[in-house]
Amino acid sequence: MKEFFLILMLMTFIVGCDNNGGNDFVPSNSQFISDPNNVAEPGFDTETQLPIPIVVNAVDDSIQPNTDSTMGNNYVSHQTCTGCHSSNGTDTNTETGSGEDVAPGTGWRATMMANSMRDPYFRARLVSEINRFPSKSALIQDECLRCHAPMLSEQNRLDNGSTAMLDFATASTSGLGRDSVSCTLCHQIDDTNLEDAFNGVLPLNTNFDIYGPYSIPTIPPGGMNGFNAVGPAIGSTSHIEESRLCAGCHVLRTEAFDSNGTATGLIFTEQATFSEYLNSSFPAQGTTCQDCHMPVITGSTKLELLDFPRSPFYRHTFVGGNSLMLKLFRDNTVALGTVATVAEFDQKILETDANLAAAADLDVNIVSSLGNRLQLTVNVENLTGHKLPSGYPSRRMWLHVVVRKAGVGSILFESGRFDSRGLIFGVDLGSIYAGFEPHHEIITQQEEVQIYEGVLGDLDENVTFSLHSADSYLKDNRIPPLGFSTTHPLISDMEIKGDAALDSNFNVAGSDTVTYDISSIDLSSGATILVELCFQAVGPAHVQDLRRFNVGEVNKFIQFFDTTDTRPTIIASQTLSTP
């Protein structure tokens, strides 16, 4: 049972329900409100009693959209490629046989990859890390920008030497930096030990070779704006269609620092999506990352001005699960300098929500409903090839279970209730550093909630939200994929941690089963049961941690976050009634 200390939040309770799972309380936009009487000693944070980090200078300029057509000697912006691989409004250079425009640039523009450098949550997190560890500022900036501004990061090393470090201000103002993860990054990755790449250290070629999966028509060397088209007729390019192409930026290992910013030598795997994929049934099935995140078109598709039809074609939609950040981009296109339109972000949000809906399945069964006791099981099946959720540990899923009296609608039991800001009642109300909700095999009380998440722990095994403070997961009950083995050679990247490791109903064929044993409720006239699987890309505690830092990039993210719809996405739901 988790401990609750001081209630830090003032809430206004209103009678009635909204249309989002029966939630009827609305908090202040500030989410967690500290007790004004809790005055700390000077130099210490009132909530945590931890030293307030020194504030260092950080970039606070509005990000400008990238409109340059060429930058850098080895890498160029997407505009250089979309001159041929796009629709110009009159002649459609990229279309399917039915006339659908599938231009790579159009599909890419509103993705998280296209906006990785202007992602306001990333920028806020980066600046908060710099503030926590100012003596490691240069290292932290360069490390993060390897994945969030990879083309500029690599170009910087090519131009200034292999040890040259990239800084946040340069990446924010450079056109190549603002182009984030673009065409000439992925299409110039060499087939050299890709499965071993991590932290954005990629085997990128410097021969101006653009790899693709198709045989190449007669194009003279350098004929593509100075680049060379390389296909199967010239060299092996099958890696462009394989999951290992994605490994380098989807495995992140960081070194833990102590409270003084001293490096400990302890390496912590903070993100392990590619490792999780290897420890799933997907590789044996021949299912790749691209199969899910770049939906395939099997018919003949025109991809460029020269009208060479291709098949199959993987849509460059790069769908994931972060619809929250896409909403922030959509609502703040000018401030964040996006090249995508509001309509394109709306479309990407729909695609993202559809991708989430395909990520999991629910199976709810009533075991018993006699007298005043209800027993039911809820099975959550992970349908992806990695943990669910995966990636950055701000993401969480939870079960929202509501039992209502039949015919009347009054609530008899509700676990996982959330408000209009996405706060879970009974969970998100205390100090974010004091503890966390444990994994549950059996739930008997409304205050108990099954939350699937990764909780970072520091060197003293305290909850932390800082990547460089973390050296372990205190809790990791994110649902493993089908085929996940606890004896896999890379298991240290993705161990099950906390009470879930002892749960015999967890990690069973890619699923978890929770039993709800509810007593003292009136079932005399029957009951209806609603179960929802809820998802958040950024949990409220991660945002609350950022509120400690009165710095420009953090303040901008908080402003965007507080004015955006942050209710969870409902991945799956099921309704049933007692006999």
Side-chain angles (χ1 to χ4, degrees):
M1 178 69 65
K2 59 186 179 297
E3 297 177 39
F4 288 100
F5 291 86
L6 180 66
I7 296 295
L8 300 175
M9 182 178 181
L10 303 177
M11 300 180 297
T12 300
F13 288 86
I14 58 175
V15 177
C17 301
D18 60 21
N19 61 358
N20 198 23
N23 311 292
D24 55 17
F25 64 103
V26 181
S28 162
N29 277 348
S30 61
Q31 294 198 358
F32 298 75
I33 303 176
S34 297
D35 183 345
N37 297 317
N38 181 23
V39 180
E41 296 180 14
F44 283 77
D45 180 84
T46 56
E47 180 181 14
T48 66
Q49 299 293 298
L50 297 175
I52 295 177
I54 299 171
V55 176
V56 298
N57 292 331
V59 177
D60 191 27
D61 297 321
S62 294
I63 309 170
Q64 298 302 310
N66 177 30
T67 57
D68 300 334
S69 59
T70 59
M71 296 80 60
N73 296 317
N74 295 78
Y75 303 92
V76 297
S77 73
H78 70 281
Q79 287 92 341
T80 301
C81 305
T82 56
C84 289
H85 297 281
S86 68
S87 169
N88 62 16
T90 303
D91 298 320
T92 302
N93 303 331
T94 51
E95 65 179 11
T96 64
S98 62
E100 179 189 0
D101 182 9
V102 290
T106 304
W108 165 86
R109 275 198 300 265
T111 66
M112 293 303 299
M113 292 179 74
N115 295 284
S116 60
M117 184 56 210
R118 54 176 55 85
D119 176 349
Y121 182 59
F122 157 71
R123 296 172 70 87
R125 269 289 156 212
L126 173 55
V127 169
S128 73
E129 285 291 284
I130 294 170
N131 277 269
R132 280 185 166 99
F133 304 109
S135 66
K136 295 294 191 294
S137 175
L139 182 150
I140 292 170
Q141 292 177 67
D142 183 70
E143 182 179 57
C144 294
L145 294 169
R146 273 189 174 272
C147 286
H148 283 263
M151 295 186 298
L152 182 62
S153 177
E154 181 65 13
Q155 190 67 63
N156 182 52
R157 285 174 172 77
L158 291 172
D159 293 344
N160 301 304
S162 60
T163 60
M165 290 186 168
L166 181 61
D167 65 88
F168 187 33
T170 299
S172 296
T173 55
S174 162
L176 201 57
R178 295 195 304 270
D179 218 47
S180 301
V181 182
S182 187
C183 317
T184 56
L185 185 279
C186 296
H187 286 275
Q188 286 194 97
I189 297 178
D190 272 333
D191 186 5
T192 307
N193 299 323
L194 281 174
E195 59 278 359
D196 298 325
F198 63 94
N199 284 26
V201 181
L202 303 169
L204 296 164
N205 83 76
T206 57
N207 301 319
F208 306 98
D209 292 336
I210 297 295
Y211 296 117
Y214 308 115
S215 59
I216 302 299
T218 303
I219 299 177
M224 296 195 316
N225 289 299
F227 287 88
N228 309 313
V230 179
I234 298 175
S236 174
T237 61
S238 62
H239 68 289
I240 204 75
E241 299 178 275
E242 298 175 10
S243 295
R244 55 199 183 97
L245 185 78
C246 311
C249 283
H250 293 279
V251 175
L252 178 60
R253 300 183 177 108
T254 52
E255 183 175 12
F257 302 152
D258 66 19
S259 58
N260 297 317
T262 303
T264 65
L266 299 172
I267 304 301
F268 169 57
T269 302
E270 170 257 310
Q271 293 184 49
T273 303
F274 180 69
S275 300
E276 295 161 11
Y277 165 81
L278 292 177
N279 192 9
S280 79
S281 63
F282 275 41
Q285 295 171 358
T287 304
T288 67
C289 303
Q290 291 88 332
D291 288 331
C292 296
H293 298 279
M294 299 177 67
V296 68
I297 299 172
T298 56
S300 179
T301 305
K302 178 183 174 184
L303 297 179
E304 71 288 299
L305 182 63
L306 299 178
D307 197 20
F308 296 106
R310 309 293 194 192
S311 181
F313 172 64
Y314 289 89
R315 295 175 184 266
H316 286 47
T317 51
F318 304 109
V319 288
N322 199 344
S323 57
L324 169 65
M325 212 54 55
L326 296 176
K327 293 174 185 176
L328 264 69
F329 285 127
R330 178 198 62 193
D331 297 343
N332 301 279
T333 54
V334 175
L336 293 173
T338 67
V339 293
T341 65
V342 169
E344 287 172 333
F345 280 118
D346 279 335
Q347 176 60 32
K348 194 63 61 179
I349 291 167
L350 291 175
E351 294 171 1
T352 300
D353 288 346
N355 190 56
L356 282 170
D361 198 10
L362 277 179
D363 184 19
V364 184
N365 289 284
I366 297 173
V367 177
S368 175
S369 59
L370 300 175
N372 64 352
R373 183 181 182 186
L374 173 65
Q375 293 176 297
L376 63 144
T377 59
V378 179
N379 179 266
V380 184
E381 183 182 4
N382 177 3
L383 302 178
T384 76
H386 47 68
K387 285 186 178 182
L388 190 65
S390 184
Y392 193 80
S394 65
R395 300 166 184 174
R396 68 177 183 178
M397 294 191 310
W398 74 92
L399 289 173
H400 177 218
V401 178
V402 187
V403 181
R404 295 178 183 271
K405 193 169 185 178
V408 180
S410 57
I411 294 176
L412 302 173
F413 176 92
E414 185 171 13
S415 166
R417 176 189 185 196
F418 58 91
D419 69 6
S420 60
R421 298 295 297 168
L423 292 166
I424 303 174
F425 184 73
V427 173
D428 294 327
L429 303 179
S431 170
I432 60 175
Y433 308 99
F436 52 87
E437 183 75 6
H439 174 84
H440 296 282
E441 185 173 1
I442 300 175
I443 285 179
T444 61
Q445 305 295 323
Q446 293 187 110
E447 294 77 16
E448 297 170 336
V449 184
Q450 185 71 314
I451 304 176
Y452 300 104
E453 61 184 344
V455 178
L456 299 175
D458 65 16
L459 294 166
D460 297 318
E461 298 188 351
N462 296 316
V463 174
T464 184
F465 300 89
S466 162
L467 297 187
H468 276 289
S469 295
D471 82 324
S472 67
Y473 275 108
L474 301 178
K475 172 189 177 184
D476 189 349
N477 69 335
R478 294 173 292 182
I479 302 176
L482 179 67
F484 186 92
S485 170
T486 57
T487 60
H488 190 275
L490 295 175
I491 193 60
S492 61
D493 277 354
M494 51 189 149
E495 290 179 280
I496 299 168
K497 301 300 282 287
D499 293 343
L502 305 175
D503 183 353
S504 61
N505 294 311
F506 185 79
N507 188 30
V508 178
S511 72
D512 176 47
T513 300
V514 188
T515 297
Y516 288 77
D517 191 350
I518 308 165
S519 301
S520 303
I521 59 174
D522 181 10
L523 299 174
S524 59
S525 58
T528 59
I529 302 162
L530 168 69
V531 179
E532 295 177 316
L533 181 62
C534 309
F535 171 77
Q536 283 178 325
V538 182
H542 289 261
V543 180
Q544 177 63 6
D545 175 69
L546 285 174
R547 295 180 192 273
R548 302 172 61 195
F549 301 93
N550 185 22
V551 194
E553 292 291 340
V554 174
N555 292 338
K556 283 195 294 186
F557 168 71
I558 296 298
Q559 178 184 356
F560 296 150
F561 183 87
D562 284 347
T563 55
T564 298
D565 181 1
T566 57
R567 290 174 297 178
T569 300
I570 307 303
I571 295 179
S573 65
Q574 186 175 341
T575 302
L576 64 166
S577 302
T578 60

